[in-house]
Amino acid sequence: MKTTGNTVFISGGSAGIGLAIAKKMSASGNKIIINGRSEERLRKALKELNNAVAIQGDLSVKADRLKIAEELKTKHPELNIIINNAGAAFMNDLSDVNNNSAEKAFEEINTNYISVIAFTALTLPLLLQQEDAAIVNVSSIAVFRSNKYLPTYSASKAALHSYTQGLRDTFSENKKLNVYELYPPLVNTEFSAEIGGANGIPASQVADELFVALESNQFEIPVGDTRKIHELVVPITENVPH
């Protein structure tokens, strides 16, 4: 996968991992389109980027997905990389019957899984027109190791993992479209503050490792501590370019 001269859409691109990826890709000569729910955060993020624009909207809402996909089609027809990074996570104590566990799980599944499927389907026609295209789904170390604090979040990321494998298999014979999965461990971002994110790795490390993986067509991208677990459970063949 080329790592310069691309047009890259990044959901959740106004902060955290998404913004770190946007900075890395922007500095490497790519056009960046960041997406997020907050107009204020998007404007702030744009000040840190070169050759970048923003599209405000919530991809977990169908009307917003349709609007964003249409804007990409009409204003950015050269789009060739989408990075599905936006996510939702809640501390969810399953022993607390008053915890609204199902409501939290619904939002996590909708944001981390269903909306990714729906948005990817909307953008696939555009990606398939390009000579070199990629889909990057940002999952998590939680795919392999859940815990009592994030059980439903982990389940949503496990669902995303299975979908990503299926998507990769679906396009395994298409030489122009590659499907990547990025597995961050705990990362020091505002998003992860509630679960001890201050002890995590910097978001820039995640962006750096994604960049290297794109260059080498490494489709499975475990970062930091995730690498140890990934080596135990994922066959080497998962990383073989098609």
Side-chain angles (χ1 to χ4, degrees):
M1 180 79 208
K2 63 177 183 175
T3 51
T4 189
N6 299 293
T7 297
V8 186
F9 176 90
I10 307 170
S11 67
S14 63
I17 293 173
L19 180 56
I21 294 172
K23 289 179 179 178
K24 180 71 176 182
M25 298 297 285
S26 173
S28 301
N30 297 285
K31 176 182 176 181
I32 305 300
I33 307 164
I34 55 171
N35 157 255
R37 292 178 294 179
S38 168
E39 190 72 48
E40 181 181 354
R41 282 193 172 195
L42 288 170
R43 286 197 300 268
K44 182 179 178 182
L46 286 178
K47 294 177 181 179
E48 302 182 52
L49 302 170
N50 296 316
N51 194 23
V53 297
I55 303 178
Q56 187 276 334
D58 185 347
L59 287 174
S60 69
V61 177
K62 182 178 180 180
D64 282 14
R65 284 197 299 269
L66 292 171
K67 179 197 72 172
I68 292 166
E70 183 61 26
E71 184 167 344
L72 290 172
K73 178 182 176 182
T74 57
K75 295 185 178 180
H76 309 283
E78 77 285 4
L79 176 73
N80 69 316
I81 298 177
I82 63 167
I83 300 177
N84 292 309
N85 167 71
F90 300 103
M91 300 283 281
N92 207 348
D93 183 356
L94 300 181
S95 70
D96 183 355
V97 296
N98 298 313
N99 192 36
N100 298 320
S101 295
E103 292 180 16
K104 293 177 180 178
F106 180 87
E107 185 169 343
E108 289 167 333
I109 285 288
N110 184 45
T111 302
N112 301 340
Y113 176 51
I114 300 297
S115 65
V116 172
I117 298 173
F119 182 67
T120 300
L122 289 171
T123 54
L124 264 174
L126 200 55
L127 296 176
L128 291 171
Q129 293 176 14
Q130 315 304 335
E131 289 300 314
D132 193 17
I135 297 167
V136 181
N137 289 336
V138 181
S139 61
S140 169
I141 191 174
V143 166
F144 308 111
R145 187 184 67 188
S146 183
N147 61 57
K148 67 179 182 179
Y149 303 108
L150 297 167
T152 51
Y153 169 78
S154 299
S156 71
K157 289 297 188 177
L160 177 64
H161 170 64
S162 293
Y163 161 72
T164 305
Q165 289 183 316
L167 187 67
R168 186 181 299 136
D169 288 347
T170 298
F171 292 100
S172 62
E173 296 183 7
N174 187 317
K175 306 301 182 185
K176 298 179 180 180
L177 175 65
N178 290 325
V179 178
Y180 299 80
E181 186 168 4
L182 179 64
Y183 304 90
L186 185 63
V187 180
N188 187 6
T189 65
E190 183 180 341
F191 178 82
S192 65
E194 184 182 8
I195 57 171
N199 298 315
I201 66 172
S204 59
Q205 181 179 338
V206 181
D208 289 344
E209 295 200 30
L210 170 61
F211 193 84
V212 171
L214 289 172
E215 286 184 310
S216 60
N217 270 5
Q218 176 191 331
F219 303 140
E220 294 273 309
I221 315 166
V223 179
D225 288 343
T226 311
R227 197 173 296 112
K228 303 170 187 176
I229 303 174
H230 185 271
E231 289 173 353
L232 295 175
V233 298
V234 178
I236 295 175
T237 54
E238 286 288 336
N239 282 331
V240 177
H242 54 60

